[in-house]
Amino acid sequence: MENRNNVTEFILLGLSQNAAVQKTCFVLFLLIYVVIVLGNGLMVVMVKFTQCLHTPMYFFLSILSFVDICYSSATVPKLIEGLLLEDKTISYQGCIMQLFSVHIFGCIEILILTVMAYDRYVAICKPLHYVTIMNRHVCSWMVAASGLGGFVHSIVQTLLTIQLPFCGPSEIDHYFCDVFPLLKLACADSHLVGALVVANTGMIALGCFLVLVISYIIILVALRMHSSEGRRKALSTCASHFTVVLLLFGPCLFIYIRPSTTLPVDKVFSLFYTIITPMLNPIIYTLRNAEMKSAMGKLWKKKEEARQKKLIG
């Protein structure tokens, strides 16, 4: 296929063309982005500097929080800029870079959530072997494998997209550059590319989701052998994780498991896995986890003590 590309920039139409709605959304998403960065940043800091949180579960949680910051940063700043400024353009290179960033961090998040489910499975179903199986070396390799998986997935998506010719129009009916909206603008038959995208993104999301569901079914069956206190603690942790899974995988599967078409509602569903879930992750894990709340209290107490010493000195 001859790659004739007459488009040097795209126009992101965003969520709405209504000026009043844009102003409201600008304030809302700016606040949400601040919450995402501060909330997830706090999670990373707490896990890093709190000794009692130096366990595999919290290690994965800190990685998830870091990925959430990167994931949202790939889309939200451009969304906020488009809501504030008249100029809603993004260069061709910037668009492709955004597409690559969204998919690499999105895939890493999916894989990390799957790894976290395995961690809970080992902790609940094989508690006597947990320390041996989930040692620091294994956890590091799992994170590295998730990063490599995200990179391979994203590079495939990017290569499938850049080999298509774009010769106009250049308006993307979305708030960020994604594969399906770009395929809609390609001036060539993109059905094969669309099928490959579904096979790539859709099957990864569906496969990981099925693994997660099966792991939690096994966990629930295994919990029948535990004490009531053990069941309560395990269910609290698992419920937090599964809530995040549903918020992320539900909209993701809706968009990427179907044939390569775009619907107006896609933009709303995309908000869940690019903005809402990264914002809620630290809230969900903190509010439902006694250790996280205790660590946060100790961190705040140390901060207050340091402030008091500074005032006295």
Side-chain angles (χ1 to χ4, degrees):
M1 184 185 294
E2 182 187 357
N3 191 1
R4 58 188 190 281
N5 196 349
N6 301 325
V7 175
T8 59
E9 62 181 21
F10 294 100
I11 300 172
L12 293 170
L13 296 182
L15 295 172
S16 174
Q17 302 302 308
N18 185 290
V21 172
Q22 287 183 353
K23 291 179 181 178
T24 303
C25 287
F26 168 77
V27 175
L28 176 63
F29 289 121
L30 179 61
L31 291 174
I32 288 176
Y33 185 59
V34 171
V35 171
I36 290 172
V37 174
L38 293 181
N40 286 286
L42 180 61
M43 294 285 282
V44 174
V45 171
M46 281 198 301
V47 174
K48 176 71 175 177
F49 295 103
T50 306
Q51 189 64 37
C52 66
L53 299 182
H54 290 178
T55 63
M57 183 179 74
Y58 294 110
F59 170 68
F60 293 132
L61 185 55
S62 67
I63 299 296
L64 182 68
S65 295
F66 175 74
V67 172
D68 275 336
I69 294 173
C70 298
Y71 193 19
S72 295
S73 296
T75 58
V76 181
K78 192 63 183 177
L79 169 61
I80 293 172
E81 179 187 298
L83 292 169
L84 182 64
L85 305 176
E86 290 293 328
D87 183 14
K88 303 182 187 301
T89 60
I90 183 172
S91 67
Y92 176 83
Q93 292 80 6
C95 185
I96 297 301
M97 182 57 68
Q98 188 180 55
L99 183 150
F100 176 82
S101 300
V102 166
H103 280 273
I104 188 173
F105 293 120
C107 186
I108 291 174
E109 176 146 0
I110 285 174
L111 295 174
I112 290 294
L113 285 170
T114 307
V115 167
M116 289 173 71
Y118 176 72
D119 172 71
R120 290 300 85 204
Y121 160 77
V122 175
I124 294 170
C125 299
K126 300 182 179 181
L128 297 179
H129 303 283
Y130 180 74
V131 177
T132 304
I133 296 174
M134 299 301 295
N135 58 63
R136 182 181 294 272
H137 183 70
V138 170
C139 293
S140 298
W141 272 107
M142 285 181 169
V143 172
S146 299
L148 179 61
F151 176 79
V152 172
H153 159 74
S154 188
I155 203 70
V156 170
Q157 298 290 79
T158 304
L159 291 176
L160 287 172
T161 304
I162 62 175
Q163 56 89 32
L164 290 171
F166 297 96
C167 45
S170 59
E171 291 184 342
I172 299 176
D173 189 17
H174 215 307
Y175 63 90
F176 69 93
C177 291
D178 202 4
V179 183
F180 288 162
L182 283 171
L183 293 184
K184 192 175 179 182
L185 300 180
C187 49
D189 186 3
S190 60
H191 287 90
L192 177 59
V193 175
L196 292 173
V197 168
V198 171
N200 184 13
T201 307
M203 291 304 103
I204 289 175
L206 181 60
C208 289
F209 183 70
L210 291 177
V211 169
L212 285 160
V213 171
I214 292 170
S215 68
Y216 275 106
I217 291 174
I218 296 173
I219 287 171
L220 288 174
V221 172
L223 282 176
R224 294 185 303 176
M225 307 297 293
H226 288 240
S227 64
S228 58
E229 178 62 23
R231 283 198 300 268
R232 186 196 63 77
K233 186 177 180 180
L235 285 173
S236 177
T237 303
C238 292
S240 300
H241 185 256
F242 202 68
T243 301
V244 173
V245 167
L246 290 178
L247 287 172
L248 177 69
F249 278 85
C252 190
L253 289 172
F254 174 80
I255 292 175
Y256 292 110
I257 204 66
R258 67 173 194 257
S260 57
T261 56
T262 57
L263 301 173
V265 74
D266 285 354
K267 291 186 283 187
V268 177
F269 276 90
S270 296
L271 290 173
F272 278 90
Y273 59 80
T274 59
I275 299 176
I276 305 300
T277 301
M279 177 188 69
L280 292 178
N281 274 354
I283 299 173
I284 292 171
Y285 281 112
T286 301
L287 292 180
R288 295 188 61 88
N289 191 297
E291 288 178 316
M292 288 298 297
K293 286 188 283 188
S294 174
M296 186 176 290
K298 290 178 181 177
L299 192 66
W300 180 260
K301 186 178 179 180
K302 287 181 181 178
K303 183 180 177 182
E304 285 297 307
E305 287 176 353
R307 188 175 68 86
Q308 291 294 333
K309 288 180 180 178
K310 186 177 179 180
L311 290 175
I312 294 172

